[in-house]
């Protein structure tokens, strides 16, 4: 018996009349259905002017991209990292990606540290205690002059929140990579920073931040706020003096 499948029912292979009775109903309907030729839709022809316009756009975009890549240069040619350890290594790696040369400072015990090896230049600024090395503003500024560093990245800790250091760099014509000295002073005071937030419309926890520090007056203020109150020291330097006075 002749086995005929639907796959063989193409215009090039039409079964004979004596073979049609062996076909299934689906195969018969497929065979009797009029063939609709599949024609590809005609796309509109692009005129010569349109093609030339598109090509000019491509050239303009390519030129703009090349122009931006050459014009976008880092703000500094060389920066000094006034820190050590992992934070200094991170700054150095990022600076290298931006094409910026780096200057490291180190104490005598950190002469073999990783950030010293990674930097393009390294200068020893003192002994092991940070008060004689990483906290010496004068020595860091001297290294900036010697190396030609245009800016200082403080990292975190050490001199990163020192408004005096930021002001001295500004007076020397060296950029402090961080907030201005006025912002450091404002954020260093809890009461002043809270006043800034309140004036900006930021919701804050209610409290008293005035200059009247009389115990009886503070007690009355605490009663107005409620049962649970926290007494906070305004400045960090006051906290250090308070801790030192306890011992």
């Amino acid at each position: 018996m002749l086995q005929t499948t639907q796959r063989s029912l193409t215009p090039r292979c039409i079964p004979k009349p004596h073979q049609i009775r062996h076909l299934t109903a689906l195969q018969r309907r497929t065979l009797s259905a009029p063939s609709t030729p599949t024609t590809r839709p005609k796309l509109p022809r692009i005129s010569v002017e349109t093609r030339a316009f598109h090509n000019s756009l491509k050239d303009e975009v390519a030129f703009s991209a090349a122009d931006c890549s050459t014009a976008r240069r880092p703000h500094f040619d060389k920066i000094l990292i006034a820190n050590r350890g992992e934070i200094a290594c991170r700054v150095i790696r990022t600076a290298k990606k931006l094409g910026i040369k780096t200057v490291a400072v180190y104490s005598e015990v950190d002469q073999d540290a990783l950030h010293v090896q990674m930097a393009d230049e390294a200068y020893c600024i003192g002994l092991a205690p940070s008060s004689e090395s990483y906290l010496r503003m004068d020595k860091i500024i001297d290294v900036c002059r010697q190396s030609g560093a245009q800016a200082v990245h403080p990292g975190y800790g050490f001199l990163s929140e020192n408004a005096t250091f930021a002001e001295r760099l500004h007076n020397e014509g060296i950029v402090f990579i961080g907030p201005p000295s006025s912002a450091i002073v404002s954020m260093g005071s809890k009461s002043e920073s809270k006043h800034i937030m309140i004036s900006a419309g930021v919701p804050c926890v209610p409290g008293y931040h005035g200059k009247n520090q009389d115990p009886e007056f503070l007690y009355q203020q605490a009663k107005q706020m409620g049962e649970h109150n926290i007494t906070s020291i305004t400045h960090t330097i006051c906290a250090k003096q308070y801790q030192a006075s306890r011992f």
Side-chain angles (χ1 to χ4, degrees):
M1 182 179 295
L2 180 62
Q3 298 291 334
T4 307
T5 61
Q6 185 177 357
R7 185 176 299 177
S8 63
L9 296 178
T10 60
R12 295 182 180 179
C13 184
I14 301 176
K16 296 180 180 180
H18 69 277
Q19 295 175 334
I20 295 179
R21 64 177 181 271
H22 300 292
L23 300 179
T24 63
L26 178 62
Q27 290 173 336
R28 291 177 184 177
R29 287 196 299 269
T30 305
L31 182 62
S32 61
S35 60
T36 56
T38 57
T39 58
R40 298 178 61 183
K42 294 183 178 181
L43 299 176
R45 297 185 60 182
I46 301 176
S47 62
V48 179
E49 293 80 3
T50 305
R51 193 181 299 276
F53 176 71
H54 288 174
N55 292 335
S56 64
L57 283 180
K58 292 180 181 179
D59 296 339
E60 184 177 353
V61 171
F63 175 78
S64 299
D67 184 57
C68 290
S69 62
T70 56
R72 186 178 180 180
R73 297 176 181 175
H75 296 290
F76 313 108
D77 298 324
K78 184 185 294 187
I79 64 173
L80 182 145
I81 300 93
N83 217 300
R84 62 183 176 185
E86 178 60 23
I87 182 60
C89 295
R90 291 183 182 182
V91 176
I92 292 172
R93 280 194 291 265
T94 304
K96 285 186 176 181
K97 292 179 181 179
L98 298 174
I100 302 174
K101 295 182 179 180
T102 55
V103 179
V105 292
Y106 62 92
S107 64
E108 291 182 349
V109 295
D110 294 329
Q111 59 182 351
D112 297 325
L114 181 59
H115 76 283
V116 177
Q117 301 174 12
M118 292 177 60
D120 297 300
E121 303 175 34
Y123 295 81
C124 181
I125 55 174
L127 301 177
S130 58
S131 59
E132 301 182 22
S133 53
Y134 297 102
L135 294 177
R136 290 289 300 271
M137 305 180 193
D138 54 342
K139 291 188 176 182
I140 293 176
I141 293 175
D142 288 341
V143 173
C144 289
R145 294 170 181 164
Q146 296 177 29
S147 61
Q150 302 160 319
V152 173
H153 194 301
Y156 56 79
F158 290 140
L159 298 172
S160 61
E161 299 181 12
N162 194 307
T164 305
F165 180 58
E167 189 66 26
R168 289 188 61 177
L169 289 176
H170 176 74
N171 296 334
E172 294 288 339
I174 303 170
V175 177
F176 179 77
I177 304 178
S181 58
S182 58
I184 297 176
V185 172
S186 299
M187 293 298 102
S189 171
K190 296 182 178 65
S191 59
E192 186 175 352
S193 60
K194 193 163 186 177
H195 285 309
I196 294 174
M197 294 298 102
I198 293 174
S199 61
V202 179
C204 297
V205 177
Y208 173 75
H209 303 281
K211 296 182 179 181
N212 190 348
Q213 300 295 305
D214 181 69
E216 185 62 29
F217 178 80
L218 294 177
Y219 175 71
Q220 295 299 328
Q221 293 293 323
K223 287 179 63 177
Q224 294 178 10
M225 287 182 285
E227 296 181 357
H228 304 286
N229 297 280
I230 298 176
T231 302
S232 177
I233 300 175
T234 304
H235 292 276
T236 305
I237 186 171
C238 296
K240 293 180 180 179
Q241 293 174 354
Y242 172 73
Q243 292 176 357
S245 63
R246 296 179 58 189
F247 300 99

